[in-house]
Amino acid sequence: MAYFDVIIIGAGAAGLMCAATAGQRGRSVLLLDHAAKLAEKIRISGGGRCNFTNLQARPECYLSENPHFCRSALSQFSVQDFIRMVERHGIGYHEKTLGQLFCDESSQQIIDMLDGLCREAGVDRRMGVTVGTVERSDRFRVHSSAGVFESASLVVATGGLSIPQIGATGFGYQLAEQFGLALTPRVPALVPLTFHADDVARFAPLAGVSLDAVASCGKTRFRENVLFTHKGLSGPAILQVSSYWTPGQELVLDLLPELDAEAYLGEREGSEQLLANALADTGWPKRFAQAWLDGAGFGGRVKDLPGKRRRQLAETLHHWRVRPNGTQGYKKAEVTRGGVSTRDLSSKTMMAKDVPGLFFIGEVVDVTGWLGGYNFQWAWSSGFVAGENC
Ligand SMILES: Cc1cc2nc3c(=O)[nH]c(=O)nc-3n(C[C@H](O)[C@H](O)[C@H](O)COP(=O)(O)OP(=O)(O)OC[C@H]3O[C@@H](n4cnc5c(N)ncnc54)[C@H](O)[C@@H]3O)c2cc1C
């Protein structure tokens, strides 16, 4: 039976980083993945250009039962560490917005870099391998379609549940349960939200429009674009708040964050201008202004809006309340919120506290980043830390 110091299940972002790191330390590493193609999520990420990190990554940008858990890994392998790695490999990159770093050319460059590092480190990487059962006595024994393998350390890097069509499974959660680790509830996150049927009909004419807005869910606010879709709301601001949203909760949108709407309309008091045109003058698409006013129950000319109604309209523009009825689910979610409980893992090594040699890294863990490169940074940092300790 073949023996390796380390077996890693899942050759995605975290698994590749862990394999390269462990291999460079001289550990013999077997990296197994059931998908035919390597690191599909890296390939499709960032519109094909991989938003590989964020200059502003810090623990506050991550959701977890223990918000401090990610601190150690993020400092052991930082944003700057990954940038240095990218630069060493001659990969051109640029900041798009809000600290988000993207490849100039293609996300394939990130895959090739990590795969190259694994090859240099002598990692035995096998794709298209189905992993069956895992047992543990003094070693881990992994039964797979490529044979039975044994190892001193087992690293679970199987990712989350989003986009099942490219290989996502809940296998990592099953393994966690098998070895007695707790799981926190898992839900789709960074995901478009859907309207109730009435609102779908009411706001259908707005589909395709994108606006700068502040989206709030409870005390959490994000200012970015909001996109109206045929099913509800999407765009970066909505994806961000979706990670904080719980069913039944209301979202509040400030649709004119740059403006004091009451003062703006007040300045036009007595004007013959149509309200829709007055809003279009703020930069809103005319079609959107008309449809939104209809949906919100306002219309006519500015001069016909008495002071009380004007205040109501201004209030609605700055605090437009929407109660989504759900999300578009794992098919459209970028990540899974929740996962292997941080209570059962060491934040310094990513090893299970009660199962020596067993590690969980990347998205399978209950650490979920904001939109914008934060999730890959978590994969690199947690992967590196496990690679140093497995
Ligand atoms: C469309 C899309 C775009 C994204 N864009 C970005 C972005 O630009 N920036 C960013 O930071 N994040 C982005 N993300 C999120 C990011 O891709 C993930 O958070 C990250 O890939 C998680 O890394 P991971 O290694 O934990 O999991 P993954 O990269 O998902 O890797 C898990 C691996 O495990 C394998 N696996 C699963 N189950 C099994 C099993 N039973 N047996 C064997 N192998 C298995 C899978 O095939 C996969 O290769 C995006 C996600 C999506 C869906």
Side-chain angles (χ1 to χ4, degrees):
M1 189 180 316
Y3 172 82
F4 292 83
D5 295 326
V6 186
I7 296 176
I8 302 171
I9 306 177
L16 282 167
M17 177 58 94
C18 179
T21 309
Q24 279 160 13
R25 285 173 52 232
R27 306 286 280 161
S28 60
V29 180
L30 175 65
L31 178 58
L32 298 176
D33 200 298
H34 68 159
K37 276 175 134 183
L38 181 64
E40 275 290 85
K41 278 203 188 153
I42 301 182
R43 192 181 61 76
I44 62 171
S45 67
R49 293 222 165 124
C50 187
N51 177 195
F52 55 79
T53 193
N54 194 298
L55 295 172
Q56 296 163 16
R58 56 194 189 283
E60 294 72 29
C61 307
Y62 293 86
L63 293 86
S64 171
E65 202 179 42
N66 175 359
H68 300 291
F69 182 83
C70 59
R71 193 175 293 276
S72 174
L74 290 175
S75 67
Q76 290 186 63
F77 188 84
S78 67
V79 170
Q80 291 307 325
D81 288 322
F82 194 75
I83 293 173
R84 271 192 288 276
M85 186 182 263
V86 165
E87 287 176 349
R88 261 200 321 276
H89 287 79
I91 299 173
Y93 65 91
H94 58 279
E95 179 181 346
K96 200 165 170 188
T97 171
L98 303 170
Q100 301 168 5
L101 301 190
F102 285 76
C103 296
D104 289 344
E105 288 173 24
S106 156
S107 43
Q108 188 62 41
Q109 293 174 291
I110 300 290
I111 302 175
D112 291 345
M113 172 184 81
L114 294 166
D115 195 28
L117 288 170
C118 284
R119 238 177 298 116
E120 275 166 37
V123 172
D124 183 346
R125 170 171 72 69
R126 305 194 195 181
M127 302 300 293
V129 176
T130 307
V131 179
T133 53
V134 176
E135 297 153 17
R136 175 169 178 269
S137 48
D138 54 331
R139 290 172 167 185
F140 291 94
R141 180 176 291 182
V142 175
H143 297 259
S144 80
S145 57
V148 182
F149 304 100
E150 283 195 344
S151 63
S153 296
L154 180 72
V155 183
V156 183
T158 45
L161 295 168
S162 64
I163 326 278
Q165 56 274 36
I166 58 165
T169 71
F171 188 60
Y173 309 126
Q174 274 174 44
L175 284 179
E177 279 184 322
Q178 179 189 333
F179 287 103
L181 282 82
L183 296 174
T184 64
R186 279 127 290 146
V187 288
L190 300 181
V191 63
L193 298 173
T194 53
F195 282 148
H196 286 275
D198 288 356
D199 287 340
V200 168
R202 207 148 54 104
F203 295 110
L206 307 185
V209 172
S210 174
L211 288 182
D212 172 32
V214 176
S216 310
C217 181
K219 291 200 173 111
T220 309
R221 297 153 52 90
F222 288 94
R223 178 166 177 183
E224 284 187 67
N225 277 359
V226 167
L227 171 71
F228 289 78
T229 73
H230 287 289
K231 293 185 174 165
L233 294 171
S234 186
I238 295 299
L239 298 182
Q240 297 281 32
V241 288
S242 74
S243 299
Y244 293 84
W245 181 78
T246 49
Q249 214 179 353
E250 195 174 66
L251 296 185
V252 181
L253 302 189
D254 181 347
L255 298 171
L256 282 176
E258 281 298 318
L259 210 71
D260 177 340
E262 196 183 342
Y264 176 80
L265 293 167
E267 283 161 17
R268 283 163 178 69
E269 198 171 8
S271 160
E272 291 285 337
Q273 197 180 26
L274 287 170
L275 270 176
N277 289 342
L279 287 182
D281 284 350
T282 69
W284 279 18
K286 175 81 191 297
R287 174 172 76 87
F288 177 83
Q290 188 60 61
W292 184 85
L293 283 165
D294 290 348
F298 292 90
R301 298 184 185 278
V302 177
K303 73 176 172 69
D304 298 328
L305 202 66
K308 193 171 165 211
R309 283 290 281 163
R310 193 165 69 219
R311 277 191 295 283
Q312 280 171 353
L313 173 56
E315 166 69 16
T316 313
L317 285 163
H318 288 306
H319 299 94
W320 189 46
R321 292 169 190 282
V322 196
R323 200 181 290 279
N325 74 341
T327 75
Q328 286 200 34
Y330 287 115
K331 268 193 183 162
K332 297 283 176 191
E334 234 175 65
V335 290
T336 302
R337 193 181 84 203
V340 177
S341 173
T342 53
R343 264 178 296 160
D344 291 335
L345 298 173
S346 154
S347 63
K348 297 199 170 56
T349 63
M350 302 304 296
M351 191 166 81
K353 286 179 181 162
D354 294 333
V355 190
L358 179 64
F359 297 77
F360 288 84
I361 56 173
E363 202 184 309
V364 73
V365 178
D366 169 32
V367 172
T368 307
W370 288 355
L371 183 78
Y374 299 93
N375 284 296
F376 278 136
Q377 185 57 46
W378 169 245
W380 316 138
S381 297
S382 58
F384 172 86
V385 166
E388 285 286 309
N389 290 281
C390 61

PDB file of all heavy atoms in Angstrom, residues 254-282:
ATOM      1  N   ASP A 254     -30.329  52.667   0.054  1.00  0.00           N
ATOM      2  CA  ASP A 254     -30.267  54.105  -0.223  1.00  0.00           C
ATOM      3  C   ASP A 254     -29.931  54.226  -1.709  1.00  0.00           C
ATOM      4  O   ASP A 254     -28.811  53.933  -2.131  1.00  0.00           O
ATOM      5  CB  ASP A 254     -29.174  54.759   0.639  1.00  0.00           C
ATOM      6  CG  ASP A 254     -29.093  56.264   0.403  1.00  0.00           C
ATOM      7  OD1 ASP A 254     -29.696  56.741  -0.593  1.00  0.00           O
ATOM      8  OD2 ASP A 254     -28.421  56.946   1.190  1.00  0.00           O
ATOM      9  N   LEU A 255     -30.934  54.638  -2.482  1.00  0.00           N
ATOM     10  CA  LEU A 255     -30.769  54.636  -3.940  1.00  0.00           C
ATOM     11  C   LEU A 255     -30.123  55.917  -4.460  1.00  0.00           C
ATOM     12  O   LEU A 255     -29.806  56.017  -5.639  1.00  0.00           O
ATOM     13  CB  LEU A 255     -32.132  54.427  -4.615  1.00  0.00           C
ATOM     14  CG  LEU A 255     -32.812  53.088  -4.301  1.00  0.00           C
ATOM     15  CD1 LEU A 255     -34.238  53.070  -4.819  1.00  0.00           C
ATOM     16  CD2 LEU A 255     -32.020  51.931  -4.884  1.00  0.00           C
ATOM     17  N   LEU A 256     -29.973  56.904  -3.564  1.00  0.00           N
ATOM     18  CA  LEU A 256     -29.312  58.149  -3.972  1.00  0.00           C
ATOM     19  C   LEU A 256     -28.291  58.552  -2.910  1.00  0.00           C
ATOM     20  O   LEU A 256     -28.442  59.583  -2.238  1.00  0.00           O
ATOM     21  CB  LEU A 256     -30.359  59.274  -4.138  1.00  0.00           C
ATOM     22  CG  LEU A 256     -31.201  59.260  -5.416  1.00  0.00           C
ATOM     23  CD1 LEU A 256     -32.255  60.369  -5.371  1.00  0.00           C
ATOM     24  CD2 LEU A 256     -30.324  59.437  -6.653  1.00  0.00           C
ATOM     25  N   PRO A 257     -27.254  57.734  -2.735  1.00  0.00           N
ATOM     26  CA  PRO A 257     -26.351  57.970  -1.601  1.00  0.00           C
ATOM     27  C   PRO A 257     -25.589  59.293  -1.671  1.00  0.00           C
ATOM     28  O   PRO A 257     -25.114  59.781  -0.657  1.00  0.00           O
ATOM     29  CB  PRO A 257     -25.385  56.772  -1.657  1.00  0.00           C
ATOM     30  CG  PRO A 257     -25.502  56.210  -3.019  1.00  0.00           C
ATOM     31  CD  PRO A 257     -26.857  56.556  -3.535  1.00  0.00           C
ATOM     32  N   GLU A 258     -25.501  59.879  -2.869  1.00  0.00           N
ATOM     33  CA  GLU A 258     -24.723  61.120  -3.022  1.00  0.00           C
ATOM     34  C   GLU A 258     -25.538  62.374  -2.749  1.00  0.00           C
ATOM     35  O   GLU A 258     -25.006  63.472  -2.768  1.00  0.00           O
ATOM     36  CB  GLU A 258     -24.210  61.220  -4.461  1.00  0.00           C
ATOM     37  CG  GLU A 258     -23.004  60.383  -4.779  1.00  0.00           C
ATOM     38  CD  GLU A 258     -21.776  60.772  -3.964  1.00  0.00           C
ATOM     39  OE1 GLU A 258     -21.534  61.983  -3.792  1.00  0.00           O
ATOM     40  OE2 GLU A 258     -21.085  59.862  -3.482  1.00  0.00           O
ATOM     41  N   LEU A 259     -26.850  62.190  -2.553  1.00  0.00           N
ATOM     42  CA  LEU A 259     -27.737  63.350  -2.627  1.00  0.00           C
ATOM     43  C   LEU A 259     -28.639  63.428  -1.412  1.00  0.00           C
ATOM     44  O   LEU A 259     -29.003  62.409  -0.849  1.00  0.00           O
ATOM     45  CB  LEU A 259     -28.628  63.110  -3.856  1.00  0.00           C
ATOM     46  CG  LEU A 259     -29.151  64.285  -4.630  1.00  0.00           C
ATOM     47  CD1 LEU A 259     -27.999  64.930  -5.394  1.00  0.00           C
ATOM     48  CD2 LEU A 259     -30.207  63.801  -5.620  1.00  0.00           C
ATOM     49  N   ASP A 260     -29.030  64.666  -1.021  1.00  0.00           N
ATOM     50  CA  ASP A 260     -30.120  64.835  -0.057  1.00  0.00           C
ATOM     51  C   ASP A 260     -31.389  64.995  -0.892  1.00  0.00           C
ATOM     52  O   ASP A 260     -31.649  66.063  -1.462  1.00  0.00           O
ATOM     53  CB  ASP A 260     -29.833  66.082   0.792  1.00  0.00           C
ATOM     54  CG  ASP A 260     -30.964  66.368   1.771  1.00  0.00           C
ATOM     55  OD1 ASP A 260     -32.092  65.870   1.541  1.00  0.00           O
ATOM     56  OD2 ASP A 260     -30.718  67.093   2.751  1.00  0.00           O
ATOM     57  N   ALA A 261     -32.163  63.915  -1.012  1.00  0.00           N
ATOM     58  CA  ALA A 261     -33.282  63.903  -1.964  1.00  0.00           C
ATOM     59  C   ALA A 261     -34.327  64.963  -1.624  1.00  0.00           C
ATOM     60  O   ALA A 261     -34.911  65.583  -2.518  1.00  0.00           O
ATOM     61  CB  ALA A 261     -33.913  62.516  -1.993  1.00  0.00           C
ATOM     62  N   GLU A 262     -34.555  65.183  -0.323  1.00  0.00           N
ATOM     63  CA  GLU A 262     -35.593  66.160   0.034  1.00  0.00           C
ATOM     64  C   GLU A 262     -35.170  67.562  -0.409  1.00  0.00           C
ATOM     65  O   GLU A 262     -35.957  68.323  -0.987  1.00  0.00           O
ATOM     66  CB  GLU A 262     -35.863  66.123   1.538  1.00  0.00           C
ATOM     67  CG  GLU A 262     -37.164  66.828   1.837  1.00  0.00           C
ATOM     68  CD  GLU A 262     -37.490  66.902   3.322  1.00  0.00           C
ATOM     69  OE1 GLU A 262     -36.905  66.125   4.106  1.00  0.00           O
ATOM     70  OE2 GLU A 262     -38.322  67.755   3.664  1.00  0.00           O
ATOM     71  N   ALA A 263     -33.909  67.887  -0.162  1.00  0.00           N
ATOM     72  CA  ALA A 263     -33.421  69.210  -0.571  1.00  0.00           C
ATOM     73  C   ALA A 263     -33.435  69.327  -2.093  1.00  0.00           C
ATOM     74  O   ALA A 263     -33.832  70.354  -2.650  1.00  0.00           O
ATOM     75  CB  ALA A 263     -32.002  69.414  -0.036  1.00  0.00           C
ATOM     76  N   TYR A 264     -33.046  68.260  -2.760  1.00  0.00           N
ATOM     77  CA  TYR A 264     -33.001  68.271  -4.228  1.00  0.00           C
ATOM     78  C   TYR A 264     -34.387  68.541  -4.811  1.00  0.00           C
ATOM     79  O   TYR A 264     -34.553  69.373  -5.698  1.00  0.00           O
ATOM     80  CB  TYR A 264     -32.464  66.914  -4.702  1.00  0.00           C
ATOM     81  CG  TYR A 264     -32.443  66.710  -6.193  1.00  0.00           C
ATOM     82  CD1 TYR A 264     -31.419  67.239  -6.974  1.00  0.00           C
ATOM     83  CD2 TYR A 264     -33.456  65.981  -6.827  1.00  0.00           C
ATOM     84  CE1 TYR A 264     -31.404  67.056  -8.349  1.00  0.00           C
ATOM     85  CE2 TYR A 264     -33.458  65.791  -8.192  1.00  0.00           C
ATOM     86  CZ  TYR A 264     -32.425  66.328  -8.954  1.00  0.00           C
ATOM     87  OH  TYR A 264     -32.421  66.136 -10.315  1.00  0.00           O
ATOM     88  N   LEU A 265     -35.395  67.844  -4.274  1.00  0.00           N
ATOM     89  CA  LEU A 265     -36.758  68.048  -4.789  1.00  0.00           C
ATOM     90  C   LEU A 265     -37.293  69.410  -4.352  1.00  0.00           C
ATOM     91  O   LEU A 265     -38.013  70.090  -5.095  1.00  0.00           O
ATOM     92  CB  LEU A 265     -37.685  66.920  -4.297  1.00  0.00           C
ATOM     93  CG  LEU A 265     -37.362  65.531  -4.858  1.00  0.00           C
ATOM     94  CD1 LEU A 265     -38.097  64.440  -4.098  1.00  0.00           C
ATOM     95  CD2 LEU A 265     -37.696  65.464  -6.351  1.00  0.00           C
ATOM     96  N   GLY A 266     -36.914  69.818  -3.132  1.00  0.00           N
ATOM     97  CA  GLY A 266     -37.352  71.127  -2.618  1.00  0.00           C
ATOM     98  C   GLY A 266     -36.871  72.267  -3.502  1.00  0.00           C
ATOM     99  O   GLY A 266     -37.621  73.227  -3.768  1.00  0.00           O
ATOM    100  N   GLU A 267     -35.648  72.144  -3.986  1.00  0.00           N
ATOM    101  CA  GLU A 267     -35.104  73.200  -4.864  1.00  0.00           C
ATOM    102  C   GLU A 267     -35.932  73.336  -6.143  1.00  0.00           C
ATOM    103  O   GLU A 267     -35.924  74.371  -6.788  1.00  0.00           O
ATOM    104  CB  GLU A 267     -33.657  72.841  -5.289  1.00  0.00           C
ATOM    105  CG  GLU A 267     -32.629  73.077  -4.213  1.00  0.00           C
ATOM    106  CD  GLU A 267     -31.342  72.281  -4.500  1.00  0.00           C
ATOM    107  OE1 GLU A 267     -31.142  71.831  -5.646  1.00  0.00           O
ATOM    108  OE2 GLU A 267     -30.569  72.100  -3.527  1.00  0.00           O
ATOM    109  N   ARG A 268     -36.614  72.259  -6.498  1.00  0.00           N
ATOM    110  CA  ARG A 268     -37.400  72.274  -7.738  1.00  0.00           C
ATOM    111  C   ARG A 268     -38.882  72.544  -7.475  1.00  0.00           C
ATOM    112  O   ARG A 268     -39.713  72.368  -8.366  1.00  0.00           O
ATOM    113  CB  ARG A 268     -37.242  70.928  -8.459  1.00  0.00           C
ATOM    114  CG  ARG A 268     -35.925  70.822  -9.154  1.00  0.00           C
ATOM    115  CD  ARG A 268     -35.563  69.408  -9.517  1.00  0.00           C
ATOM    116  NE  ARG A 268     -34.291  69.398 -10.231  1.00  0.00           N
ATOM    117  CZ  ARG A 268     -33.115  69.687  -9.681  1.00  0.00           C
ATOM    118  NH1 ARG A 268     -33.042  70.010  -8.394  1.00  0.00           N
ATOM    119  NH2 ARG A 268     -32.019  69.683 -10.397  1.00  0.00           N
ATOM    120  N   GLU A 269     -39.218  72.930  -6.274  1.00  0.00           N
ATOM    121  CA  GLU A 269     -40.623  73.155  -5.895  1.00  0.00           C
ATOM    122  C   GLU A 269     -41.305  74.034  -6.939  1.00  0.00           C
ATOM    123  O   GLU A 269     -40.744  75.041  -7.383  1.00  0.00           O
ATOM    124  CB  GLU A 269     -40.678  73.844  -4.525  1.00  0.00           C
ATOM    125  CG  GLU A 269     -42.029  73.706  -3.890  1.00  0.00           C
ATOM    126  CD  GLU A 269     -42.025  74.207  -2.437  1.00  0.00           C
ATOM    127  OE1 GLU A 269     -41.010  74.783  -2.005  1.00  0.00           O
ATOM    128  OE2 GLU A 269     -43.047  74.007  -1.780  1.00  0.00           O
ATOM    129  N   GLY A 270     -42.484  73.663  -7.351  1.00  0.00           N
ATOM    130  CA  GLY A 270     -43.228  74.459  -8.326  1.00  0.00           C
ATOM    131  C   GLY A 270     -42.839  74.159  -9.762  1.00  0.00           C
ATOM    132  O   GLY A 270     -43.440  74.683 -10.701  1.00  0.00           O
ATOM    133  N   SER A 271     -41.868  73.263  -9.949  1.00  0.00           N
ATOM    134  CA  SER A 271     -41.403  72.975 -11.318  1.00  0.00           C
ATOM    135  C   SER A 271     -42.416  72.112 -12.077  1.00  0.00           C
ATOM    136  O   SER A 271     -43.068  71.249 -11.495  1.00  0.00           O
ATOM    137  CB  SER A 271     -40.051  72.284 -11.237  1.00  0.00           C
ATOM    138  OG  SER A 271     -39.797  71.595 -12.435  1.00  0.00           O
ATOM    139  N   GLU A 272     -42.484  72.388 -13.382  1.00  0.00           N
ATOM    140  CA  GLU A 272     -43.375  71.610 -14.255  1.00  0.00           C
ATOM    141  C   GLU A 272     -42.752  70.240 -14.591  1.00  0.00           C
ATOM    142  O   GLU A 272     -43.382  69.388 -15.193  1.00  0.00           O
ATOM    143  CB  GLU A 272     -43.557  72.344 -15.596  1.00  0.00           C
ATOM    144  CG  GLU A 272     -44.363  73.635 -15.532  1.00  0.00           C
ATOM    145  CD  GLU A 272     -45.852  73.356 -15.369  1.00  0.00           C
ATOM    146  OE1 GLU A 272     -46.286  72.255 -15.729  1.00  0.00           O
ATOM    147  OE2 GLU A 272     -46.560  74.231 -14.836  1.00  0.00           O
ATOM    148  N   GLN A 273     -41.483  70.089 -14.218  1.00  0.00           N
ATOM    149  CA  GLN A 273     -40.758  68.873 -14.608  1.00  0.00           C
ATOM    150  C   GLN A 273     -41.435  67.608 -14.067  1.00  0.00           C
ATOM    151  O   GLN A 273     -41.933  67.601 -12.929  1.00  0.00           O
ATOM    152  CB  GLN A 273     -39.325  68.951 -14.050  1.00  0.00           C
ATOM    153  CG  GLN A 273     -38.374  67.984 -14.714  1.00  0.00           C
ATOM    154  CD  GLN A 273     -36.967  68.093 -14.128  1.00  0.00           C
ATOM    155  OE1 GLN A 273     -36.775  68.497 -12.987  1.00  0.00           O
ATOM    156  NE2 GLN A 273     -35.989  67.726 -14.928  1.00  0.00           N
ATOM    157  N   LEU A 274     -41.442  66.570 -14.890  1.00  0.00           N
ATOM    158  CA  LEU A 274     -41.950  65.286 -14.407  1.00  0.00           C
ATOM    159  C   LEU A 274     -40.987  64.756 -13.341  1.00  0.00           C
ATOM    160  O   LEU A 274     -39.763  64.915 -13.477  1.00  0.00           O
ATOM    161  CB  LEU A 274     -42.025  64.272 -15.555  1.00  0.00           C
ATOM    162  CG  LEU A 274     -43.140  64.500 -16.580  1.00  0.00           C
ATOM    163  CD1 LEU A 274     -42.943  63.580 -17.790  1.00  0.00           C
ATOM    164  CD2 LEU A 274     -44.512  64.253 -15.944  1.00  0.00           C
ATOM    165  N   LEU A 275     -41.549  64.122 -12.337  1.00  0.00           N
ATOM    166  CA  LEU A 275     -40.694  63.553 -11.279  1.00  0.00           C
ATOM    167  C   LEU A 275     -39.663  62.594 -11.873  1.00  0.00           C
ATOM    168  O   LEU A 275     -38.498  62.578 -11.462  1.00  0.00           O
ATOM    169  CB  LEU A 275     -41.554  62.757 -10.295  1.00  0.00           C
ATOM    170  CG  LEU A 275     -42.124  63.503  -9.105  1.00  0.00           C
ATOM    171  CD1 LEU A 275     -43.024  62.550  -8.317  1.00  0.00           C
ATOM    172  CD2 LEU A 275     -41.002  64.017  -8.221  1.00  0.00           C
ATOM    173  N   ALA A 276     -40.118  61.809 -12.864  1.00  0.00           N
ATOM    174  CA  ALA A 276     -39.199  60.842 -13.487  1.00  0.00           C
ATOM    175  C   ALA A 276     -38.016  61.565 -14.110  1.00  0.00           C
ATOM    176  O   ALA A 276     -36.871  61.094 -14.025  1.00  0.00           O
ATOM    177  CB  ALA A 276     -39.936  60.022 -14.535  1.00  0.00           C
ATOM    178  N   ASN A 277     -38.269  62.731 -14.715  1.00  0.00           N
ATOM    179  CA  ASN A 277     -37.155  63.476 -15.328  1.00  0.00           C
ATOM    180  C   ASN A 277     -36.253  64.072 -14.254  1.00  0.00           C
ATOM    181  O   ASN A 277     -35.031  64.137 -14.426  1.00  0.00           O
ATOM    182  CB  ASN A 277     -37.693  64.573 -16.254  1.00  0.00           C
ATOM    183  CG  ASN A 277     -38.304  63.983 -17.510  1.00  0.00           C
ATOM    184  OD1 ASN A 277     -38.031  62.827 -17.846  1.00  0.00           O
ATOM    185  ND2 ASN A 277     -39.154  64.745 -18.184  1.00  0.00           N
ATOM    186  N   ALA A 278     -36.877  64.519 -13.158  1.00  0.00           N
ATOM    187  CA  ALA A 278     -36.059  65.074 -12.067  1.00  0.00           C
ATOM    188  C   ALA A 278     -35.112  64.001 -11.532  1.00  0.00           C
ATOM    189  O   ALA A 278     -33.935  64.264 -11.263  1.00  0.00           O
ATOM    190  CB  ALA A 278     -36.956  65.604 -10.951  1.00  0.00           C
ATOM    191  N   LEU A 279     -35.606  62.767 -11.418  1.00  0.00           N
ATOM    192  CA  LEU A 279     -34.730  61.690 -10.928  1.00  0.00           C
ATOM    193  C   LEU A 279     -33.711  61.293 -11.996  1.00  0.00           C
ATOM    194  O   LEU A 279     -32.557  60.981 -11.673  1.00  0.00           O
ATOM    195  CB  LEU A 279     -35.559  60.470 -10.506  1.00  0.00           C
ATOM    196  CG  LEU A 279     -36.338  60.642  -9.201  1.00  0.00           C
ATOM    197  CD1 LEU A 279     -37.086  59.357  -8.860  1.00  0.00           C
ATOM    198  CD2 LEU A 279     -35.410  61.004  -8.047  1.00  0.00           C
ATOM    199  N   ALA A 280     -34.137  61.342 -13.248  1.00  0.00           N
ATOM    200  CA  ALA A 280     -33.191  61.023 -14.330  1.00  0.00           C
ATOM    201  C   ALA A 280     -32.044  62.035 -14.331  1.00  0.00           C
ATOM    202  O   ALA A 280     -30.896  61.684 -14.644  1.00  0.00           O
ATOM    203  CB  ALA A 280     -33.901  61.002 -15.673  1.00  0.00           C
ATOM    204  N   ASP A 281     -32.340  63.271 -13.926  1.00  0.00           N
ATOM    205  CA  ASP A 281     -31.275  64.290 -13.863  1.00  0.00           C
ATOM    206  C   ASP A 281     -30.222  63.961 -12.803  1.00  0.00           C
ATOM    207  O   ASP A 281     -29.133  64.524 -12.806  1.00  0.00           O
ATOM    208  CB  ASP A 281     -31.867  65.676 -13.560  1.00  0.00           C
ATOM    209  CG  ASP A 281     -32.531  66.284 -14.787  1.00  0.00           C
ATOM    210  OD1 ASP A 281     -32.354  65.711 -15.892  1.00  0.00           O
ATOM    211  OD2 ASP A 281     -33.224  67.302 -14.645  1.00  0.00           O
ATOM    212  N   THR A 282     -30.535  63.081 -11.872  1.00  0.00           N
ATOM    213  CA  THR A 282     -29.532  62.696 -10.863  1.00  0.00           C
ATOM    214  C   THR A 282     -28.566  61.645 -11.417  1.00  0.00           C
ATOM    215  O   THR A 282     -27.630  61.244 -10.742  1.00  0.00           O
ATOM    216  CB  THR A 282     -30.189  62.076  -9.599  1.00  0.00           C
ATOM    217  OG1 THR A 282     -30.742  60.794  -9.962  1.00  0.00           O
ATOM    218  CG2 THR A 282     -31.265  62.965  -9.012  1.00  0.00           C
TER     219      THR A 282
END
